[in-house]
Amino acid sequence: MGESNRSGQVLVMVSFWWSRGDELANHQLGQILTRAECLDGEITDAAAVDRALRAVGDEPTLVAELDEWWQMVAARRNDNTTQNPGLSLGSSIRYLTDRLDADRVTPKSIEECRRQIAALDTQIVSAKDLPELAHPDAEMLTLLTRYMEARSRVLAITST
């Protein structure tokens, strides 16, 4: 029973750190699960990852490798549990621009945009030391640029 409990704890931690969106680490996880013939889809597919982790079971060697993986990810991210901002920036930018491009921009919609900006700013500041922002790729830089443009539009409206 103890081995099953340990296995369960490891798999929960793997799932948690996978969900943080560290693309390099998740690529490594995909290689581990593919080599073990557990992954039947893409490492970016939550359902495929969930099925793969359930298929791991109590296989001691694989559980040990996954245990090492999540600990490596936690160390790589300095135990910062903030999710990769790139996972939500695109939808947040669409949310902001949809509100700003509406036929009628209301005080309520501006207030919603300000709340969204506050949440995003907090997330970005929390993630500033993570690999995704410390060494951003072209996609992340594009997202940040688009976010700053949308953010500026909201702030320009609220200051008038």
Side-chain angles (χ1 to χ4, degrees), residues 49-61:
V49 171
D50 184 53
R51 286 190 303 273
L53 293 178
R54 280 189 269 125
V56 167
D58 292 331
E59 165 53 43
T61 306

Side-chain angles (χ1 to χ4, degrees), residues 10-81:
V10 167
L11 298 178
V12 165
M13 294 307 293
V14 168
S15 180
F16 174 79
W17 285 105
W18 167 83
S19 72
R20 302 302 82 194
D22 185 320
E23 291 179 8
L24 177 61
N26 287 355
H27 175 75
Q28 294 168 330
L29 175 62
Q31 291 176 324
I32 294 167
L33 295 174
T34 299
R35 190 173 58 252
E37 298 179 354
C38 295
L39 188 62
D40 65 359
E42 297 294 322
I43 194 64
T44 56
D45 177 9
V49 171
D50 184 53
R51 286 190 303 273
L53 293 178
R54 280 189 269 125
V56 167
D58 292 331
E59 165 53 43
T61 306
L62 185 53
V63 169
E65 189 173 7
L66 292 172
D67 193 25
E68 289 177 18
W69 177 85
W70 81 258
Q71 290 181 44
M72 176 275 305
V73 177
R76 172 179 155 81
R77 299 177 78 76
N78 292 325
D79 288 320
N80 184 334
T81 60

Side-chain angles (χ1 to χ4, degrees), residues 77-131:
R77 299 177 78 76
N78 292 325
D79 288 320
N80 184 334
T81 60
T82 303
Q83 190 176 52
N84 174 352
L87 299 177
S88 61
L89 263 175
S91 61
S92 295
I93 293 165
R94 279 188 301 280
Y95 175 87
L96 292 172
T97 56
D98 286 352
R99 301 294 166 296
L100 295 171
D101 293 341
D103 289 337
R104 185 166 173 254
V105 179
T106 65
K108 181 179 178 185
S109 65
I110 293 298
E111 186 58 35
E112 290 171 3
C113 288
R114 293 178 77 197
R115 281 194 295 274
Q116 182 74 20
I117 286 172
L120 285 169
D121 286 352
T122 299
Q123 182 185 21
I124 290 168
V125 168
S126 297
K128 70 179 173 25
D129 295 326
L130 294 179

